Amino acid sequence: MVRSFAGVYVVLAGVSAAAPVMAGDSPADAVGLDNGQAAALFVPRAHDRRGTLTLEDGRNAWTRVVAQRNDADGDSTLLQIGSDVVQSSHVLLGVMVGSGRIDARAASPVSGHRTKARVRGTAVGVYGTWFQQADGAAGAYLDASLQAAQFRSHAYGTGLKEAAHDSRMWLAALEGGYTFALRSGARWPLQLQPQVLLRHADGVEGGMGLRLSTWHEGQRSLLRPYAAVYWLSGDMHDSQMSARHELQAGADLQWGVRWGAWAGLNGQRRGHGQRDLTVQMGVRMAW
């Protein structure tokens, strides 16, 4: 896999740009086709994948859409579909498949060359979650996922030869946390959930997070707003070690006994002042 390039290094999956592009023999010299960065888009956290973590609503089929924009003139989109297939009193197992596209653009103030790149990827995998309590209202949880993915990278630019690259890799995630009830019995109860996370996608990223949530129950609906902050470090989003800080806010809505939806906004800041903004939405149906 291509790992380092001269001049601008554009990372595909949040898509970032740094120093000026120098004249090169191909677009790969200007746009870093690091499929590990694209792969990071396919590895969701437990709450991102299914919304609220609980066993009370039974097995669910779900789908989620992710759109990401980076201030370095790049964007990403992802569609993931999955379903729970096995459920016990404390364990949930499921399968998922995803397809995504990452686009990046860069221009050299030195040579005047303009370069574009695109990565298309697909992945299929399994996930599992263990709950200390079936309703997820308190206690510990542990979540893991494993996916097999393949990516096709393509780059081209003004006056430069086209470059293409194919790769396959394993994507894995491990996450654990503990839910504390800060306030109960009130109209808007409060929960605090410390989390520890570890992800692998042609690089490793680990970190910790804090998720604060509340809920309000209507006659046929349940609304769960949340906010979270994450401190992460690793080489999954860059070819070298870097730190990221992330803020997340959104809500989960359950209506009736079968349907639910969730949506969230995610802001991220990483090395060299790079910033990402991510919007995600999902729908689930109990079966």
Side-chain angles (χ1 to χ4, degrees):
M1 171 179 292
V2 180
R3 295 295 298 180
S4 61
F5 308 89
V8 166
Y9 188 72
V10 177
V11 176
L12 303 180
V15 193
S16 61
V21 177
M22 303 303 291
D25 296 327
S26 73
D29 292 322
V31 179
L33 299 183
D34 192 336
N35 291 340
Q37 311 307 316
L41 189 68
F42 284 77
V43 189
R45 301 185 184 111
H47 288 281
D48 296 336
R49 189 181 60 233
R50 196 178 180 269
T52 297
L53 293 182
T54 179
L55 290 172
E56 289 194 323
D57 56 356
R59 290 176 296 184
N60 280 249
W62 53 268
T63 183
R64 62 188 288 262
V65 178
V66 181
Q68 188 176 71
R69 180 69 177 176
N70 182 269
D71 60 3
D73 202 18
D75 55 79
S76 314
T77 55
L78 172 71
L79 171 66
Q80 257 182 339
I81 300 173
S83 179
D84 309 328
V85 294
V86 176
Q87 179 184 355
S88 69
S89 58
H90 292 278
V91 175
L92 190 67
L93 302 176
V95 296
M96 58 183 171
V97 61
S99 177
R101 189 182 79 181
I102 301 93
D103 293 293
R105 296 169 293 278
S108 169
V110 178
S111 66
H113 290 161
R114 301 184 64 85
T115 306
K116 297 182 179 180
R118 172 170 293 176
V119 178
R120 294 182 182 271
T122 57
V124 59
V126 296
Y127 61 86
T129 310
W130 170 82
F131 301 84
Q132 186 176 6
Q133 294 188 16
D135 60 3
Y141 79 94
L142 184 65
D143 183 85
S145 66
L146 180 65
Q147 300 177 76
Q150 60 181 11
F151 298 94
R152 171 73 171 176
S153 307
H154 181 73
Y156 55 94
T158 306
L160 301 174
K161 297 184 297 182
E162 293 191 9
H165 180 67
D166 294 316
S167 66
R168 297 183 180 184
M169 66 183 70
W170 291 98
L171 316 177
L174 183 63
E175 174 184 334
Y178 196 97
T179 304
F180 296 92
L182 297 182
R183 184 176 68 189
S184 58
R187 182 179 177 87
W188 291 92
L190 281 176
Q191 293 177 333
L192 182 66
Q193 187 182 80
Q195 302 172 354
V196 177
L197 310 102
L198 182 65
R199 299 197 298 171
H200 168 77
D202 198 42
V204 177
E205 179 181 76
M208 59 192 307
L210 284 174
R211 180 183 173 96
L212 182 68
S213 61
T214 184
W215 67 91
H216 176 70
E217 189 170 358
Q219 186 173 358
R220 290 180 53 83
S221 64
L222 181 64
L223 177 65
R224 293 178 176 269
Y226 69 88
V229 58
Y230 294 95
W231 299 269
L232 305 164
S233 180
D235 60 356
M236 199 170 73
H237 287 261
D238 289 293
S239 58
Q240 56 185 358
M241 294 292 293
S242 64
R244 295 192 298 125
H245 309 285
E246 191 174 310
L247 294 175
Q248 195 178 70
D252 182 283
L253 175 64
Q254 178 77 31
W255 68 91
V257 296
R258 296 189 64 190
W259 292 95
W262 67 100
L265 183 66
N266 184 340
Q268 179 183 129
R269 185 179 181 88
R270 42 201 175 92
H272 310 293
Q274 300 157 13
R275 294 181 297 271
D276 301 325
L277 183 64
T278 303
V279 178
Q280 70 164 336
M281 296 176 288
V283 178
R284 62 180 180 270
M285 181 189 74
W287 59 278

